[in-house]
Structures are given as structure tokens and as C-alpha cells.
């Protein structure tokens, strides 16, 4: 976004949207115009409209812009509560990483955020997407599936935020000892990001709540749904073998949790 566009967004976002539409229709800087317009629409609680705009006009954008447009869509789906759409897109992006389409066999790629370039590793991106996928399953109250996804994410690139959400998933399943172990790892600063006082405070508060929880509930109602998902995610991740030259070593580090679930 150019500086004068930024000023217009701050002063008159509705007028900025009109200009972004004109730029898109004229073929002028379509990549940035579409992404920036979607961002402004989100701020104005017009996320549904932003979703339709991206779906309708992303075909006019460059190949390089498609991944960032997917990231914008994921945020918009989250804003609108479109959990199923979010899950489908996250799975598709994970498959693209597995197929070597995003990183093209390289360990890192250049990403952009607010106009700034930075390097993202395949581990970081895979873990980030799995973290988002785990959060989406939490919104569907599918905590066992969310646990599986969060554990995989933590194996690749652990952080305190995903550890906290994993603890929540375990509590929701009545597995309080397991949850306590995960949360204590945050308090003991064993996980990257746990040096943040806010992360430790959240973990401490959740540990305090554990003292007042009721005995664990039966989980048989959720096991069938989780088994189906585990089969799918195993096909996507755990059974990957070095067939393609573009495949990256990180995918060989991911192991199956099926045995744990069967116990």
C-alpha cells in the first residue's frame, strides 16, 4: 500500500474501497489493491463481501500473490465463523507444502507483512498452519482431533501459545494430569515463547482452574469422528515417503499418534 492510500484508508475507508475497486477493474496493481481492499473491508465488518471479492478477482492476481490471498481468506473465514471453509483451506495449504509447491524444495521462502520482507522456514509455516487448524477444530468442540493436530505442530516448531491451546484441549477431554504437565512446561519456560509473562500468566490461571474441575467425562462420543480425521491426516502427513525430489526433510520428522489414541 502506498503512503497516500494509507492516509485515505485512515481518513475515509469507504472512499478507499471505491479507489481499490477502480484499480482492480483497471488492472492497476491488482495484487496489492485486492489484498488491501479486503483488509479495509474486514475493518468495516464487511468480511463476507471481502471473501467474495477475493474469490471473484484472485484470477487477475499474479501467481506470487496467491499464497498471501489464501492467508487473507483464512483470517476472513475466522472473522466470519466459517470454520469448515477455514479447515478446508488450511488442509489444502498443508498439502501444497507437502507437494513442494509453496517452498519449491527450499528450506525457507520470502514472505511479506505490512510491506516488510522476512524469511519463513518450512517448519515455521507448517507449524503455524497446523496451529490454525487445531484452533479451528477447537471451535467445532472436536478437542481430540485438535489435540492430535496441536501435538504435531509442537513436534515441528513448538511455542507457548500452541502449548496453552493443547492444554485446553486436554482439559476439555478430562485429561487433567496431561494438561497439568503441558501447562507446567510453560511455567518452567521449557517451551519457546514461555519467557513472555503473559504466556506464563495464562498458563498459571488455567492451572488454578484445574483445582475446581469435575471428574472426567466419557469421551466415546468423540472417538469415532477423531478416528476418521486421524486417518486423513495420516495420509496427508505421517505416511509421506521420499517419492518427490521437492519433498523436505521436516516431513520425515512427523510421527503418528494413532497408537496413543488407541490406548
Amino acid at each position: 500500500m502506498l503512503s497516500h492510500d494509507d492516509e485515505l484508508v485512515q481518513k475515509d475507508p469507504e472512499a478507499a474501497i471505491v479507489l481499490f475497486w477502480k484499480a482492480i477493474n483497471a488492472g492497476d496493481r491488482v495484487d496489492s489493491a485486492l489484498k488491501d481492499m479486503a483488509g479495509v473491508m474486514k475493518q468495516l465488518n464487511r468480511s463476507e463481501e471481502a471473501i467474495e471479492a477475493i474469490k471473484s478477482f484472485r484470477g487477475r492476481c499474479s501467481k506470487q500473490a496467491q499464497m498471501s490471498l489464501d492467508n487473507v481468506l483464512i483470517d476472513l473465514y475466522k472473522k466470519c465463523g466459517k470454520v469448515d471453509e477455514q479447515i478446508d483451506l488450511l488442509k489444502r495449504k498443508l498439502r501444497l507444502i507437502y507437494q513442494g509447491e509453496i517452498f519449491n524444495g527450499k528450506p525457507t521462502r520470502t514472505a511479506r507483512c505490512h510491506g516488510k520482507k522476512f524469511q519463513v522456514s518450512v517448519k515455521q509455516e507448517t507449524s503455524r498452519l497446523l496451529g490454525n487448524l487445531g484452533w479451528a477444530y477447537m471451535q467445532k468442540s472436536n478437542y481430540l482431533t485438535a489435540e492430535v493436530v496441536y501435538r504435531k505442530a509442537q513436534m515441528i516448531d513448538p511455542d507457548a501459545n500452541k502449548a496453552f491451546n493443547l492444554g485446553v484441549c486436554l482439559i476439555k477431554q478430562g485429561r487433567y494430569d496431561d494438561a497439568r504437565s503441558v501447562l507446567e512446561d510453560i511455567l518452567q519456560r521449557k517451551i519457546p515463547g514461555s519467557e513472555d509473562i503473559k504466556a506464563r500468566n495464562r498458563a498459571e490461571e488455567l492451572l488454578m482452574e484445574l483445582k475446581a474441575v469435575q471428574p472426567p467425562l466419557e469421551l466415546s462420543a468423540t472417538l469415532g469422528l477423531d478416528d476418521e480425521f486421524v486417518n486423513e491426516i495420516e495420509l496427508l502427513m505421517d505416511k509421506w515417503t521420499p517419492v518427490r525430489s521437492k519433498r523436505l526433510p521436516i516431513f520425515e520428522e512427523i510421527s503418528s499418534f494413532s497408537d496413543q489414541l488407541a490406548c
Side-chain angles (χ1 to χ4, degrees):
M1 184 185 297
L2 298 179
S3 58
H4 62 271
D5 292 337
D6 192 26
E7 292 176 3
L8 182 59
V9 167
Q10 297 297 326
K11 293 180 180 178
D12 191 344
E14 294 287 355
I17 289 176
V18 172
L19 290 181
F20 287 138
W21 272 124
K22 290 182 178 179
I24 293 169
N25 289 324
D28 180 20
R29 297 184 294 120
V30 179
D31 290 3
S32 59
L34 184 56
K35 287 184 289 185
D36 292 343
M37 183 178 71
V40 177
M41 287 179 170
K42 179 183 176 182
Q43 294 175 14
L44 297 176
N45 294 319
R46 293 167 60 179
S47 295
E48 295 273 4
E49 187 178 348
I51 290 171
E52 292 306 314
I54 291 177
K55 288 182 176 180
S56 298
F57 292 95
R58 68 182 306 167
R60 299 188 185 185
C61 297
S62 67
K63 182 179 179 180
Q64 293 74 18
Q66 298 304 316
M67 184 160 40
S68 59
L69 287 172
D70 281 343
N71 290 334
V72 173
L73 271 178
I74 289 171
D75 287 340
L76 291 169
Y77 286 148
K78 185 175 181 180
K79 175 80 171 179
C80 295
K82 294 180 177 291
V83 180
D84 290 333
E85 290 86 345
Q86 186 181 3
I87 289 173
D88 289 343
L89 183 51
L90 287 166
K91 287 181 177 179
R92 183 168 69 83
K93 287 178 71 66
L94 284 165
R95 290 188 181 100
L96 288 175
I97 293 178
Y98 156 64
Q99 293 166 359
E101 299 298 328
I102 292 181
F103 284 80
N104 199 30
K106 298 178 181 179
T108 62
R109 68 173 178 83
T110 301
R112 293 176 180 269
C113 183
H114 302 297
K116 296 181 179 180
K117 293 183 180 180
F118 58 97
Q119 292 296 309
V120 176
S121 72
V122 63
K123 286 188 175 184
Q124 291 171 330
E125 183 68 0
T126 303
S127 182
R128 183 185 72 83
L129 292 173
L130 285 171
N132 288 339
L133 186 59
W135 183 92
Y137 276 108
M138 287 180 70
Q139 307 316 299
K140 294 174 71 70
S141 298
N142 194 340
Y143 298 110
L144 189 52
T145 299
E147 177 204 346
V148 172
V149 176
Y150 274 124
R151 287 194 184 278
K152 289 181 181 293
Q154 290 296 81
M155 290 171 59
I156 300 170
D157 188 38
D159 67 53
N161 183 60
K162 292 193 291 288
F164 178 86
N165 288 340
L166 173 59
V168 172
C169 292
L170 293 167
I171 290 173
K172 292 293 185 178
Q173 296 175 65
R175 294 163 55 191
Y176 306 127
D177 289 340
D178 291 340
R180 186 175 294 106
S181 177
V182 170
L183 295 171
E184 286 177 348
D185 282 346
I186 299 176
L187 292 180
Q188 295 170 13
R189 307 189 186 189
K190 294 181 179 180
I191 302 174
S194 55
E195 66 277 1
D196 183 357
I197 185 62
K198 292 182 179 179
R200 296 198 304 277
N201 285 343
R202 292 173 68 202
E204 188 171 14
E205 290 173 5
L206 197 54
L207 279 170
M208 293 295 293
E209 293 178 13
L210 279 176
K211 297 180 179 180
V213 295
Q214 298 298 316
L217 300 174
E218 291 294 329
L219 297 175
S220 57
T222 65
L223 288 174
L225 179 58
D226 180 71
D227 288 342
E228 179 180 351
F229 175 76
V230 169
N231 289 334
E232 179 178 343
I233 203 168
E234 293 303 329
L235 288 174
L236 173 63
M237 302 179 67
D238 293 329
K239 294 184 179 180
W240 290 338
T241 56
V243 175
R244 296 178 53 133
S245 60
K246 290 183 179 181
R247 184 164 300 155
L248 296 162
I250 177 57
F251 293 109
E252 305 306 327
E253 300 177 15
I254 305 173
S255 61
S256 171
F257 280 87
S258 296
D259 292 341
Q260 295 182 21
L261 293 175
C263 295

